Amino acid sequence: MKVIEYRPTPDEFAWTFGGAAPVRRVRPGEALSVWTEDCFAGKVRSERDLVSQVCEFPFLNPQTGPFHVEGAEPGDTLALHFVSIEPATDIGAATTVPFFGALTSDAHTATLQEALPELVWLYELDNARRTVTYRAKSAELAIELPMDPMHGTVGVAPAALEARSSLVPDSHGGNLDTPEMRAGVTAYFGVNVAGALFSLGDGHARQGEGEACGTGVEVAMNTVLIVDLVKGVPTPWPRLESDAYLMSIGAASPLENAYRVAQVDMTGWLSELCGIDRMDAYQLVAQAALAPVAQVCNPIYTVTSKIPKSLLPAGPAYRGKHAELSEQAAVLRSA
Amino acid sequence: MKVIEYRPTPDEFAWTFGGAAPVRRVRPGEALSVWTEDCFAGKVRSERDLVSQVCEFPFLNPQTGPFHVEGAEPGDTLALHFVSIEPATDIGAATTVPFFGALTSDAHTATLQEALPELVWLYELDNARRTVTYRAKSAELAIELPMDPMHGTVGVAPAALEARSSLVPDSHGGNLDTPEMRAGVTAYFGVNVAGALFSLGDGHARQGEGEACGTGVEVAMNTVLIVDLVKGVPTPWPRLESDAYLMSIGAASPLENAYRVAQVDMTGWLSELCGIDRMDAYQLVAQAALAPVAQVCNPIYTVTSKIPKSLLPAGPAYRGKHAELSEQAAVLRSA
Amino acid sequence: MKVIEYRPTPDEFAWTFGGAAPVRRVRPGEALSVWTEDCFAGKVRSERDLVSQVCEFPFLNPQTGPFHVEGAEPGDTLALHFVSIEPATDIGAATTVPFFGALTSDAHTATLQEALPELVWLYELDNARRTVTYRAKSAELAIELPMDPMHGTVGVAPAALEARSSLVPDSHGGNLDTPEMRAGVTAYFGVNVAGALFSLGDGHARQGEGEACGTGVEVAMNTVLIVDLVKGVPTPWPRLESDAYLMSIGAASPLENAYRVAQVDMTGWLSELCGIDRMDAYQLVAQAALAPVAQVCNPIYTVTSKIPKSLLPAGPAYRGKHAELSEQAAVLRSA
Amino acid sequence: MKVIEYRPTPDEFAWTFGGAAPVRRVRPGEALSVWTEDCFAGKVRSERDLVSQVCEFPFLNPQTGPFHVEGAEPGDTLALHFVSIEPATDIGAATTVPFFGALTSDAHTATLQEALPELVWLYELDNARRTVTYRAKSAELAIELPMDPMHGTVGVAPAALEARSSLVPDSHGGNLDTPEMRAGVTAYFGVNVAGALFSLGDGHARQGEGEACGTGVEVAMNTVLIVDLVKGVPTPWPRLESDAYLMSIGAASPLENAYRVAQVDMTGWLSELCGIDRMDAYQLVAQAALAPVAQVCNPIYTVTSKIPKSLLPAGPAYRGKHAELSEQAAVLRSA
């Protein structure tokens, strides 16, 4: 399998989905080995580097890409299989940012209150032990959390001639901020424009569900992914497939709408896969789906609907694309 | 340990939290062995028993209780440890109800559309194999789902002189509909009135997160629980403790507010338990908390915040009450 | 017309809708002349009387009532016509309260931020000139606002065996906090329990739409109202009728649901009154209805849908009850 | 005053704010006389022209523009004064569109229900009598509503390198759908990119508050507006000024956030204009502001905060720009 190496220079980052020229062309079936910068554009390096002082809006969430996928057309589905997502440094940073996050008023949940204190927490990453170490500031307390690397932003150019900030999620993907976007997962996105024009970034060494403070443990990533297409099959909202789960991601505000979007999408998907009508699929979703919150800090919120594949008698989703790409990934990893 | 047996007659059910006279008095440290009717008051027995025809609003979610707990006063915390929650029958029912559920318009998300079809699905319960069997109506498809019994409603009399329908959750508990309310868990509720006046009902053989269709797999339950008090310790929102997790439950609409309530409560709880300030606790919650949706079908929605206890260096919550009650439960189970 | 005078003693106030014994019985067609205490139970008398210090939760929004209406049964509509609503003092108070109000985080829109400053503004009321004078604290600035007296809370005992705090609005009325609840208006409420058990309180010399700071210009009121019934006609959500407008009030969160409830109710009402189907009524509402926000500070929000009666060719609503009561009110006022 | 005439050809429409090349350059102080196509791109001409059949997503809400304003830079405010907004035809159309509108489930408030019927209502416009005639389909009923012409979409290129669909409102303006955007009003927008790049469209002969069915009475418009700049003065959210009112428009979901944004912006604005601190301004807003819902049908909702200018002792907003432009408009109208 051809593996294309790509490491962007600072002037090559994209800051939007849509509206940016492709940096490379890839063919379905090829792999990419890329480096992604952290969400702060690398500018938070110590506890004194406050986002409001060192970062410049909107230059956050720098995207590696976009990549033009040969042959991708509206109506197709782009499949991205994450072979590996590995922190590129041994320090990750999490911050509060004034009026940003789930447990503060923000630009839309607008109040007259003062902002929370602006702080930086640095986490030590141990790739070998797979840990991410939290250290409290107000007491002697260190906690080793499991490392669980993921990308906060992955997506394609949106429909309707739009260009969307890489800080925002929507049906094109973008800043979905779900911890499910980890290695071993295949992500599916509906293609809206010729070439799909996907990009990725915003690596987290881990994050809690909801990304409550507005950031995960932010870190640059070395990521290998296989790029593929499912021709002629549309995908209305971002979907994920792991060895264990089928997942739909809803992006909307208020948060119940993100839940509804994800569950309605899952209902339609199960209806197709299981050959049952929508009411039967609704019932199955109602009793079998997990629904973890993904993020509640960006202008549009996200929720994931998850169904264990072990429950389903169904044939494979997307013509078996996940199994196929997982096998190729195994070959790549063993190479 | 004294175990009080109680099986309500149909005229003994309560339909509200608050506003109902106690059916029994119990002392802290005593156990209760109770039977709870299903949410339909037992009236859905076949696929032809449509809720809109056989049930009479507001006589849904019949409560076993309320129980007056000797010595419980406002400012205390009631601890209920679930020793066992076992389906009392071998058939469970799940239904759609016109204009009720997460994936339909309802009384508050009001639209002009027609209701979804009203249907009943019957599930075979196998207590030995611990399965709950879903059967599609539109195709030959049967799926064995794991049995995971729980109570949808558990709570105390609310504050502010209120009596709340057993269909509604809030800070007093009530119709929380979280699958985390299972055997082995200790539930904590702030006491609002003398005697606490707790009740329970709405057993589910299992449910998906969000209870999307408006019901779980509804079933009468035989439940054993130990009743205890933590004197002088208030609890602002319902909390759960299992061997593995600390959990806070937020109840509010829109759903992001349920998330916020749960996460703010967890932040305060971790701050206390770990001896760190609120910003440090916020950071820990942001990177370590899980946040599954509980329900999105009642008039007030619920989200659970979950923190793995294994991560915490902290001393025990509520003076070690969960460990203490778990030991007593083990004795009861082995008796 | 018989006018019943009633002035509650402090121990006669009700603090809930439902769950309180009636203080008087009235017959349909009789008038009541009552005094209502202000929302602070009279405890905010100077700028130094902070709500968090002088008031005791839940003893806010004291209700005058409930009144048992002879012959009122579930399925009927209670009609209350406000003959006059007049401030009983010449000073009104508005306050901020920690974590209460639309432009602060609160118990449900929970954040980790500090509360806004707690302040009291006293307003001079001039009944003759019909003005309410605002005075800034931070500068020499006085502004005469138009006096526009109203009741924040009016309602009946709720359905489903509930008792609801007088701080909360819902389909039973309660703390609706709409400035449309003024003299000259007929308010319609569906009766849920025998006798209806209505009460009222929370007078405002005026309020902005949304009651952003959590209070209006709060004042005790002398109010005269005529009590009547429309037998056999149900009313699902509170409705108002003035000489100029038909109004429906939706109570729900998030706020779009309050809008939806109000507009769906108005659609059904216009469909009946105009003899058109629901889609035609939807269209008429879409192009002709006003939709002012009522309040965004209580746990459940409210929006009013308003249709100018001048547009409607329709026969009178509620069998002409508003015109009938307006005539009687004119007689009372001239007496 | 120079008046630039501009009538776009069909291939000159823009479908986004941002991402489109300017069609003309104008200087501050110049007037534009433009024609705007209706939201359906002129394709709904009879009751048989259903949007789902004759329109092609995303080619809705065609924009006349964008116009490059000489000298406009980020940090400035663009002032657009509407001299006249006059229907260009004598028939307006309003429609339902499947899964679009406030009283139906939609792409985000997703449910499994069937769509409402898709219908077209044609309205007769009488420019002389200033009426818009509604005709029911299900009965013989015609109602003359007051003509009140306005633009649903007006805005500038957004910040953050974005291009936003003309179907969406946000801080850049766009599909605000407030009936307050009428002749005699000055609209203020913060400039995000050099030249501001404003455009307009989506004329309504009138609309109800909330635009419940998803459209107003849609019509092509002949509009004259004066273009001006307030250099060095930023404007965070769209604002309007009429002879009678100052207005701030919040755009956010859920709807309470649109309310919060509008009221927080108005609080800041009054604080500046009146020389009072934010708490005093909050109090004034709380008692004096009107808050009509603008729209509840687009992916982001809008609410307007309105303060009567007659109440304010304050000096003029934006250096008196509204009065200045109103005088010039009077000259233009008399010319």
Side-chain angles (χ1 to χ4, degrees), chain D residues 261-293:
Chain D
V261 165
Q263 296 280 73
V264 165
D265 186 60
M266 182 58 82
T267 297
W269 199 5
L270 289 189
S271 174
E272 271 177 55
L273 288 176
C274 298
I276 53 181
D277 71 15
R278 293 226 303 175
M279 292 304 290
D280 271 339
Y282 182 24
Q283 179 57 215
L284 186 53
V285 161
Q287 307 310 339
L290 302 176
V293 170

Side-chain angles (χ1 to χ4, degrees), chain B residues 15-16 57-59 107-113 159-165 168 170 237 251-254 257-258 260-261 264 267 278 282 301, chain C residues 15-16 57-59 107-113 159-165 168 170 237 251-254 257-258 260-261 264 267 278 282 301:
Chain B
W15 307 95
T16 52
F57 181 82
F59 300 108
H108 298 102
T109 306
T111 77
L112 298 171
Q113 291 161 286
L161 311 173
E162 287 200 311
R164 303 299 304 277
S165 161
V168 178
D170 210 327
W237 287 90
S253 294
N257 278 2
R260 286 175 177 130
V261 165
V264 165
T267 297
R278 294 225 305 174
Y282 182 24
Y301 303 145
Chain C
W15 307 95
T16 52
F57 180 82
F59 301 107
H108 298 101
T109 305
T111 78
L112 299 170
Q113 292 161 286
L161 312 173
E162 288 201 309
R164 304 299 305 277
S165 161
V168 178
D170 209 327
W237 288 90
S253 295
N257 278 1
R260 287 176 178 131
V261 165
V264 165
T267 297
R278 293 226 305 175
Y282 182 24
Y301 303 144

Side-chain angles (χ1 to χ4, degrees), chain C residues 143-188:
Chain C
I143 299 178
E144 288 194 341
L145 303 171
M147 182 179 286
D148 187 12
M150 51 160 281
H151 280 287
T153 53
V154 190
V156 294
L161 312 173
E162 288 201 309
R164 304 299 305 277
S165 161
S166 56
L167 292 167
V168 178
D170 209 327
S171 56
H172 68 284
N175 202 10
L176 297 168
D177 279 328
T178 167
E180 308 291 348
M181 194 75 78
R182 57 170 69 90
V185 162
T186 306
Y188 303 104

Side-chain angles (χ1 to χ4, degrees), chain D residues 174-254:
Chain D
N175 201 10
L176 297 168
D177 279 327
T178 167
E180 309 289 350
M181 194 74 81
R182 57 170 69 90
V185 161
T186 305
Y188 302 104
F189 300 94
V191 174
N192 299 301
V193 304
L197 297 178
F198 79 87
S199 66
L200 73 166
D202 189 25
H204 300 164
R206 71 168 285 117
Q207 71 161 78
E209 287 174 352
E211 207 186 8
C213 75
T215 76
V217 178
E218 306 288 337
V219 66
M221 288 285 181
N222 290 312
T223 292
V224 178
L225 67 165
I226 306 175
V227 179
D228 211 342
L229 278 180
V230 187
K231 289 294 293 181
V233 175
T235 293
W237 287 90
R239 290 175 178 171
L240 303 178
E241 184 175 358
S242 68
D243 292 349
Y245 291 100
L246 297 180
M247 296 173 259
S248 289
I249 307 174
S253 296

Side-chain angles (χ1 to χ4, degrees), chain A residues 113-202:
Chain A
Q113 290 160 287
E114 298 295 320
L116 290 173
E118 188 171 2
L119 296 169
V120 177
W121 288 261
L122 297 181
Y123 286 75
E124 297 134 50
L125 312 184
D126 186 326
N127 281 14
R129 300 183 57 235
R130 309 307 283 173
T131 56
V132 173
T133 301
Y134 160 90
R135 287 187 193 282
K137 296 172 175 296
S138 57
E140 284 293 321
L141 176 65
I143 300 178
E144 288 195 342
L145 304 171
M147 182 179 286
D148 188 11
M150 51 157 283
H151 279 286
T153 53
V154 190
V156 295
L161 312 172
E162 287 200 311
R164 302 300 303 278
S165 161
S166 56
L167 293 168
V168 178
D170 210 328
S171 56
H172 68 282
N175 202 10
L176 297 168
D177 278 327
T178 167
E180 308 290 350
M181 195 74 79
R182 57 170 69 90
V185 162
T186 305
Y188 303 105
F189 300 94
V191 175
N192 298 302
V193 305
L197 297 177
F198 80 87
S199 66
L200 71 166
D202 190 23

Side-chain angles (χ1 to χ4, degrees), chain A residues 272-316:
Chain A
E272 271 177 54
L273 289 176
C274 298
I276 53 181
D277 71 15
R278 293 225 306 174
M279 291 304 290
D280 271 338
Y282 181 25
Q283 179 56 214
L284 186 53
V285 162
Q287 307 309 341
L290 302 176
V293 170
Q295 61 78 20
V296 194
C297 56
N298 301 319
I300 296 175
Y301 303 145
T302 49
V303 169
T304 304
S305 170
K306 295 175 66 172
I307 289 274
K309 289 163 71 172
S310 61
L311 299 178
L312 301 180

